[in-house]
Amino acid sequence: MSTTTLFQITFYLAAPFWALMILAPGWSLTRRIIASPWIVLPPLVVYTVFAVGDFGTLWSVVSRPDLETLRAFLGTPDGAAAIWAHLIAFDLFIGRWMYSDARERGVPHAVLAPILVLTILLSPFGLLTYLAVRAVAARRATIGSWHVSSPSTGPGEPAPHSGG
């Protein structure tokens, strides 16, 4: 398979998992699939194809980081495709963590979904945004504004409210 073809399919290997997290977050199949860290395997296989194919160059780039060496490597089709597969895999892993963490913390999906989309496009900003939302969620959980699951409730279910 050509470098161009592998580059082009890399995102599409991860897209179904993103679609499940964004469009069908409460579906039991989504929860089971996303619970597995192995969802990152398809883009990691693409990364491995490039990494193994040019391991000597890759090793010299990562073992002795130098801006010019990295720029030269990323300026090649295989280097650019490898870093793309690397990014897609790790963005998906971060998105998977955010999805699971948000469900545990009772973060409303209406808040999480746009952050997941941001993470697909610009993962560092998506992660920063989620971490900020997570901090707010933790604060709100202590005052009861967002419902957080407890041992007696599932994720996203209202926690028992004591009257008073």
Side-chain angles (χ1 to χ4, degrees), residues 1-160:
M1 203 174 282
S2 75
T3 298
T4 301
T5 302
L6 284 172
F7 173 83
Q8 291 172 339
I9 67 169
T10 301
F11 175 75
Y12 296 107
L13 295 171
F17 303 111
W18 286 107
L20 286 172
M21 289 187 288
I22 294 167
L23 302 174
W27 189 27
S28 63
L29 188 58
T30 299
R31 289 192 303 272
R32 282 198 313 264
I33 290 170
I34 302 305
S36 172
W38 290 103
I39 65 171
V40 300
L41 185 62
L44 287 178
V45 167
V46 173
Y47 174 80
T48 301
V49 167
F50 291 114
V52 168
D54 202 6
F55 189 76
T57 304
L58 176 63
W59 182 253
S60 69
V61 168
V62 299
S63 65
R64 290 181 307 265
D66 171 74
L67 184 57
E68 284 306 308
T69 306
L70 177 62
R71 184 188 61 73
F73 178 67
L74 296 179
T76 67
D78 284 357
I83 198 67
W84 181 246
H86 176 121
L87 291 170
I88 295 298
F90 280 88
D91 291 355
L92 181 57
F93 194 78
I94 290 167
R96 175 192 169 274
W97 172 77
M98 291 188 308
Y99 166 86
S100 299
D101 190 70
R103 292 188 63 78
E104 262 181 41
R105 295 173 184 281
V107 174
H109 190 70
V111 173
L112 179 64
I115 297 171
L116 289 173
V117 172
L118 179 60
T119 303
I120 294 169
L121 302 172
L122 299 165
S123 64
F125 294 125
L127 180 57
L128 283 171
T129 302
Y130 181 71
L131 292 173
V133 165
R134 188 177 194 257
V136 170
R139 237 179 281 128
R140 289 188 174 184
T142 62
I143 60 172
S145 294
W146 281 352
H147 299 295
V148 179
S149 62
S150 68
S152 62
T153 63
E157 295 177 20

